[in-house]
Amino acid sequence: MQTLSFNPLYPFETLEIPFDDWVEVVFDWVANARPVFQAIRQPIDWVLEGITDLLLFLPPGLMIVLLALVAWQVVGGRLALGTALSLFFVGLIGAYEQSMVTLALVLTAVFFCTAIGVPLGILAARSDRFETGLRPVLDTMQTTPAFVYLVPIVVLFGIGNVPGVIVTIIFAVAPLIRLTNLGIRQVPKDVIEAANAFGASGRQLLFKVQLPLATKTIMAGVNQSLMLALSMVVIASMISVGGLGQMVLRGIGRLDMGLAVIGGVGIVVLAIVLDRMTQALASSERERGGRRFVERGPIGLVRGLTAGRSASAAAAATQRGG
Amino acid sequence: MTDKITVEHLYKIFGPDPEEALALIREGLDKDEIFARTGNTVGVRDASFTVKEGEIFVIMGLSGSGKSTMVRMFNRLIEPSSGSITVDGRDITKLDEAGLRDLRRTTISMVFQSFALLPHIKVIDNVAFGLELAGMGREERRERALAALEQVGLAANAESYPDELSGGMQQRVGLARALAADPPILLMDEAFSALDPLIRSEMQDELIRLQEEKKRTIIFISHDLDEAMRIGDRIAIMQGGVVVQVGSPDEILKNPANEYVRSFFRGVDISKVLTAADIATKTQVTIIDKPEQGPRAALRLLGDFDREYGFVIGRGRRFAGVVSLASLEQARRDDAPLDAALMPETATVLPTAPLHELMGVVATSPHPVPVVDEQGRYRGVVSRTSLLQALDNLPAESAPVEADAVAPVAAAGE
Ligand SMILES: Nc1ncnc2c1ncn2[C@@H]1O[C@H](COP(=O)(O)OP(=O)(O)OP(=O)(O)O)[C@@H](O)[C@H]1O
Ligand SMILES: [Mg+2]
């Protein structure tokens, strides 16, 4: 066996950095901190359990009606009808339960995206240095292929729904942070100056001026997070996350076109319904004819009816009296 | 009037190293040199002046001369680099955060060129914004906001959103917002500059009317001289961060401190700025009207001074009328008293009338037009010559004959 001498034309035959080994060493070390990662799992586990139980607790017929009512309240009658029909269709093709699981996963992910992303976005808007530091992290999160961090996540958190939500959060939180930052930075300077001139404290400035004026942009961020979370569903199922993604993955694995398409249709239906709802939430009361949330939709109807009944009861009472 | 705001040796340097710039200022370098040497911008340089209680104090100057910087130091939206600002005897440059918030909520409020209303809340909530920040309850602050809106004539639009209003109306909302907490001091940074000329003068009138209802101390930034002359009690002129002159519009107009100030006033329409009182002369023959006096003495007086007309004044300098040589001659022949010689229908003008309103009267009157105030007192006359001279921006000189024309009054009085 002869030893190779260093040849500058073929440097890599003799030179090598054991990068993969290093990474493993780091991860072995990090894995020692398991309790920390278990602690991170906990809250996600609770929220996910809660939402899943809620969605699967009601019988499908009732649940579809309830979701349609929510769509009516948030957006309007047409989306309510669309929601009911498409969920009914998803049920008919045999994917109802899976779509509820996926819905729970996505909602959990978005819940945590908001809880993490909005405060980070606010901090980034307040400090240029923090923003400069955060930007490469966000770039990395958005461009790194999900497959790359799937492995370390499994090492640290194991497999199943909760790690799936964590992967989804990592993938989906970046645009929300960016858009929150942008929304707050876009608040006109003169309005900020006016608020300061009238004696606003830091908190008042944030809650009475910056956040309200950034709401639209922040809601666009929530919407983006939601869509990205949905697009992660199939990849997340590779670490044995249940739901529609699992159907698609199994369909592909078995070359079962039917199964894959059923899962796909379910994802698309959820995407459309959720997209409409978050977009509607982003528009202000005023853009929707000035009627307050509780004066619209089913809640408004119920309120109107009860008010009407008590009014007519009162009228009847006075008639009897008179 | 007492001093409301006293500014002493106030400086503002923008940039990386204010100390270095301050040192160069002491060496006497100007704004451009300091910027070239150190990269620091001199916003305001050694400003010292006082603003009196209840006056409208206008700050004028070219773009970049430091007006906005100056006024923002009054509520410390911009931190002064050095110097002091005393409001009601308290140096506000020493206030801490809480004290500063309190100052902004109760004492000094501001109106912005760009209106700067909150687009997501209704007009009334915009007006109540300052009160809300101060922690006032919803009912009470809405009530006071509505009262402020009434002051600017916008109560009917309380439930609109700002973008549903015209520019002029939006600025009324801005004004109402500033008035809501009833602060003694208002800062207005080119508050009317974004409005078209008609609305602008309407707003100026509105401001003057509000000022009549309740005297506030108003610091008003403007780069429009007509506006400054119209509403300002006193004007400060800024040039490159320096306050070059402070004074009443008349003082500055008559006595500009330097070429920069003079150039500001070059375009001024004198006929709108000067009034009859400013150019009235008292060099005509005046005749004191006494009951027993006949026309003879008056005739002799006019003859002595070679004048055709005399101005008759009664008790308390009350203007009685004009007599001419011809009318006096007639009265003498009729053996009538002086009163009979007064010419019918003599036109008079008020001392406050601007020159451009005088032209018609002066041109058609055969004699100089007497200036008579609201109480009927004689304040002098405006002759064609003095009017033309004033409009031509020439210093009004008195002709030699008129130099000691006060004497005849005494003579006539005997
Ligand atoms: N935040 C800042 N940073 C650096 N320089 C500034 C800043 N604000 C103002 N300046 C500079 O200070 C000087 C005075 O500006 P200021 O805005 O007070 O002028 P102004 O008289 O209000 O002008 P305008 O009529 O255009 O409003 C200018 O040279 C400007 O460039
Ligand atoms: Mg300015």
Side-chain angles (χ1 to χ4, degrees), chain B residues 73-95:
Chain B
M73 287 194 282
F74 288 2
N75 60 358
R76 286 197 24 215
L77 285 176
I78 292 179
E79 289 292 336
S81 301
S82 117
S84 71
I85 302 166
T86 313
V87 176
D88 291 332
R90 206 163 44 131
D91 185 356
I92 61 148
T93 59
K94 303 236 160 34
L95 289 177

Side-chain angles (χ1 to χ4, degrees), chain B residues 62-69 71-72 113 189-190 221 223:
Chain B
L62 295 180
S63 191
S65 57
K67 309 180 293 290
S68 299
T69 308
V71 83
R72 276 166 177 68
Q113 177 174 11
D189 188 354
E190 303 200 23
I221 293 186
H223 54 224

Side-chain angles (χ1 to χ4, degrees), chain A residues 171-313:
Chain A
F171 183 68
V173 76
L176 182 53
I177 299 177
R178 284 187 204 276
L179 284 167
T180 303
N181 175 30
L182 180 72
I184 291 180
R185 281 179 186 264
Q186 268 179 347
V187 174
K189 263 213 175 65
D190 58 345
V191 174
I192 302 277
E193 187 174 47
N196 280 327
F198 282 94
S201 65
R203 281 174 66 91
Q204 287 174 325
L205 188 66
L206 181 66
F207 287 106
K208 291 185 191 296
V209 179
Q210 290 176 312
L211 284 180
L213 290 185
T215 305
K216 257 196 128 106
T217 318
I218 295 175
M219 284 310 293
V222 171
N223 177 276
Q224 285 300 301
S225 283
L226 243 167
M227 295 298 112
L228 285 178
L230 269 170
S231 73
M232 261 307 267
V233 159
V234 176
I235 294 176
S237 65
M238 296 169 86
I239 54 173
S240 96
V241 173
L244 294 168
Q246 195 60 246
M247 292 180 96
V248 175
L249 194 70
R250 240 185 289 139
I252 294 171
R254 295 188 211 147
L255 289 180
D256 181 345
M257 261 320 265
L259 191 60
V261 169
I262 287 174
V265 167
I267 292 175
V268 170
V269 165
L270 283 186
I272 293 174
V273 172
L274 292 175
D275 181 44
R276 290 294 148 76
M277 281 201 207
T278 44
Q279 270 181 16
L281 280 176
S283 59
S284 62
E285 259 162 36
R286 196 178 149 213
E287 288 163 333
R288 283 177 280 163
R291 282 204 297 165
R292 299 214 322 274
F293 188 79
V294 293
E295 290 168 351
R296 292 191 318 251
I299 296 182
L301 200 66
V302 171
R303 276 169 54 113
L305 281 179
T306 51
R309 189 167 314 142
S310 54
S312 56

Side-chain angles (χ1 to χ4, degrees), chain B residues 363-412:
Chain B
T364 52
S365 169
H367 50 78
V369 177
V371 179
V372 179
D373 64 18
E374 278 95 344
Q375 285 77 41
R377 283 192 297 263
Y378 174 77
R379 300 276 300 272
V381 299
V382 175
S383 66
R384 284 179 211 175
T385 329
S386 59
L387 183 59
L388 286 174
Q389 275 174 341
L391 290 178
D392 210 23
N393 226 348
L394 292 170
E397 292 163 36
S398 30
V401 205
E402 299 169 332
D404 55 353
V406 214
V409 178

Side-chain angles (χ1 to χ4, degrees), chain A residues 10-286:
Chain A
Y10 300 96
F12 306 130
E13 292 189 353
T14 49
L15 291 182
E16 190 191 5
I17 291 177
F19 191 67
D20 44 356
D21 292 346
W22 295 358
V23 170
E24 293 212 5
V25 168
V26 169
F27 266 102
D28 283 347
W29 184 77
V30 170
N32 286 335
R34 247 214 159 79
V36 177
F37 297 103
Q38 291 309 310
I40 295 177
R41 280 184 68 123
Q42 257 326 303
I44 297 177
D45 211 0
W46 288 330
V47 174
L48 182 61
E49 287 276 307
I51 296 182
T52 315
D53 286 353
L54 197 75
L55 291 178
L56 291 177
F57 170 72
L58 288 180
L62 222 60
M63 193 65 215
I64 291 177
V65 171
L66 194 67
L67 287 176
L69 284 177
V70 170
W72 184 12
Q73 182 66 47
V74 174
V75 188
R78 285 210 359 226
L79 187 71
L81 195 66
T83 305
L85 288 180
S86 47
L87 283 179
F88 195 68
F89 176 70
V90 168
L92 285 182
I93 60 178
Y96 175 79
E97 201 157 310
Q98 283 86 343
S99 30
M100 286 305 118
V101 171
T102 294
L103 185 59
L105 285 164
V106 166
L107 290 181
T108 309
V110 169
F111 174 82
F112 282 100
C113 280
T114 313
I116 298 166
V118 171
L120 282 180
I122 292 171
L123 285 181
R126 297 208 143 185
S127 150
D128 285 335
R129 277 180 53 194
F130 185 69
E131 195 206 11
T132 328
L134 191 65
R135 190 167 280 161
V137 177
L138 296 183
D139 289 341
T140 316
M141 282 163 71
Q142 275 186 302
T143 51
T144 312
F147 296 102
V148 174
Y149 52 83
L150 226 43
V151 180
I153 290 293
V154 171
V155 171
L156 297 175
F157 295 97
I159 58 168
N161 284 353
V162 173
V165 169
I166 294 174
V167 171
T168 310
I169 293 171
I170 295 174
F171 183 68
V173 76
L176 182 53
I177 299 177
R178 284 187 204 276
L179 284 167
T180 303
N181 175 30
L182 180 72
I184 291 180
R185 281 179 186 264
Q186 268 179 347
V187 174
K189 263 213 175 65
D190 58 345
V191 174
I192 302 277
E193 187 174 47
N196 280 327
F198 282 94
S201 65
R203 281 174 66 91
Q204 287 174 325
L205 188 66
L206 181 66
F207 287 106
K208 291 185 191 296
V209 179
Q210 290 176 312
L211 284 180
L213 290 185
T215 305
K216 257 196 128 106
T217 318
I218 295 175
M219 284 310 293
V222 171
N223 177 276
Q224 285 300 301
S225 283
L226 243 167
M227 295 298 112
L228 285 178
L230 269 170
S231 73
M232 261 307 267
V233 159
V234 176
I235 294 176
S237 65
M238 296 169 86
I239 54 173
S240 96
V241 173
L244 294 168
Q246 195 60 246
M247 292 180 96
V248 175
L249 194 70
R250 240 185 289 139
I252 294 171
R254 295 188 211 147
L255 289 180
D256 181 345
M257 261 320 265
L259 191 60
V261 169
I262 287 174
V265 167
I267 292 175
V268 170
V269 165
L270 283 186
I272 293 174
V273 172
L274 292 175
D275 181 44
R276 290 294 148 76
M277 281 201 207
T278 44
Q279 270 181 16
L281 280 176
S283 59
S284 62
E285 259 162 36
R286 196 178 149 213

